[in-house]
Amino acid sequence: MLFRSLEQIRIDFSPEQDRLLMRIASSDRSEVLLWFTRRCVRLLWPLLVKMTQSAPHIAQQPLPEARDALLGMQREQALSQANFGRPYDAENRERPLGAEPILVARVNTGRNEQGKHVLALLPHQGQGVTLGLDDTLLHALCKLLQDVVAKAEWDLQLTMPTGPAPVNADAPRMLN
């Protein structure tokens, strides 16, 4: 199922299932429920980080420090545009893929014709969901995952690349 008009994403930890439940809502009042295991998140995270780094203005930078700094700026800008305060609207939603959550077993990534990131979340067999994500949605999804995985206590470190370490003005310096 291709989500063309993504409206909201919510991710919660279910202690009883020891899984994450992702709820994806579209503006046409449909909703898809997806389960993520710890293993799936561990495999998904590097793909999401790679997607964030694939923007041409970031990927073309020759220095890793420059790529990381640009990625950090892009992340800050994207998260400032995301609306994390709006409550998830689950009222009167149709579930075209069924009432029970789909267990995500496979993930595919890429870009579509419009240059948006594409994230396909698929079960072992059957139909899954494909999301078109701009940079704001991609970084928001990463932030949601980071926050909920920290609460799940899965001992996973979902970190984004960071820029160069700050220079300590008091540290001795050597000039060649």
Side-chain angles (χ1 to χ4, degrees):
M1 174 179 183
L2 178 62
F3 263 80
R4 296 192 189 279
S5 55
L6 184 64
E7 187 175 279
Q8 286 184 295
I9 297 176
R10 178 181 174 132
I11 307 174
D12 294 301
F13 175 64
S14 171
E16 301 81 28
Q17 294 283 336
D18 195 28
R19 296 178 180 170
L20 304 183
L21 177 62
M22 178 186 282
R23 300 171 71 127
I24 305 170
S26 70
S27 58
D28 68 357
R29 305 301 301 162
S30 61
E31 177 182 54
V32 173
L33 305 177
L34 302 166
W35 282 126
F36 288 87
T37 62
R38 180 185 183 281
R39 179 182 179 279
C40 182
V41 171
R42 189 173 49 80
L43 296 172
L44 172 64
W45 185 252
L47 297 174
L48 292 175
V49 170
K50 189 174 181 179
M51 288 171 70
T52 64
Q53 295 171 323
S54 70
H57 70 283
I58 294 173
Q60 293 172 353
Q61 295 298 316
L63 298 174
E65 295 85 7
R67 287 191 299 268
D68 292 348
L70 283 173
L71 179 60
M73 288 187 291
Q74 178 183 356
R75 179 177 170 83
E76 283 182 32
Q77 180 182 8
L79 292 179
S80 72
Q81 296 172 6
N83 182 357
F84 292 105
R86 182 175 157 213
Y88 185 82
D89 177 16
E91 293 292 318
N92 302 320
R93 296 231 179 237
E94 291 183 29
R95 295 190 178 148
L97 298 183
E100 293 300 313
I102 296 168
L103 179 61
V104 175
R106 298 178 294 136
V107 177
N108 293 326
T109 63
R111 285 198 182 260
N112 64 16
E113 309 81 48
Q114 293 80 32
K116 280 189 173 183
H117 303 282
V118 175
L119 178 64
L121 305 169
L122 308 163
H124 183 66
Q125 291 182 334
Q127 189 174 7
V129 64
T130 301
L131 306 172
L133 305 170
D134 61 16
D135 289 333
T136 300
L137 285 172
L138 177 58
H139 283 283
L141 175 60
C142 290
K143 174 79 170 126
L144 289 171
L145 267 175
Q146 286 176 307
D147 291 349
V148 75
V149 165
K151 291 176 186 172
E153 299 178 353
W154 278 352
D155 196 28
L156 286 178
Q157 298 299 317
L158 303 185
T159 58
M160 295 296 282
T162 58
V167 176
N168 182 350
D170 298 331
R173 292 185 259 175
M174 187 164 75
L175 201 68
N176 290 340

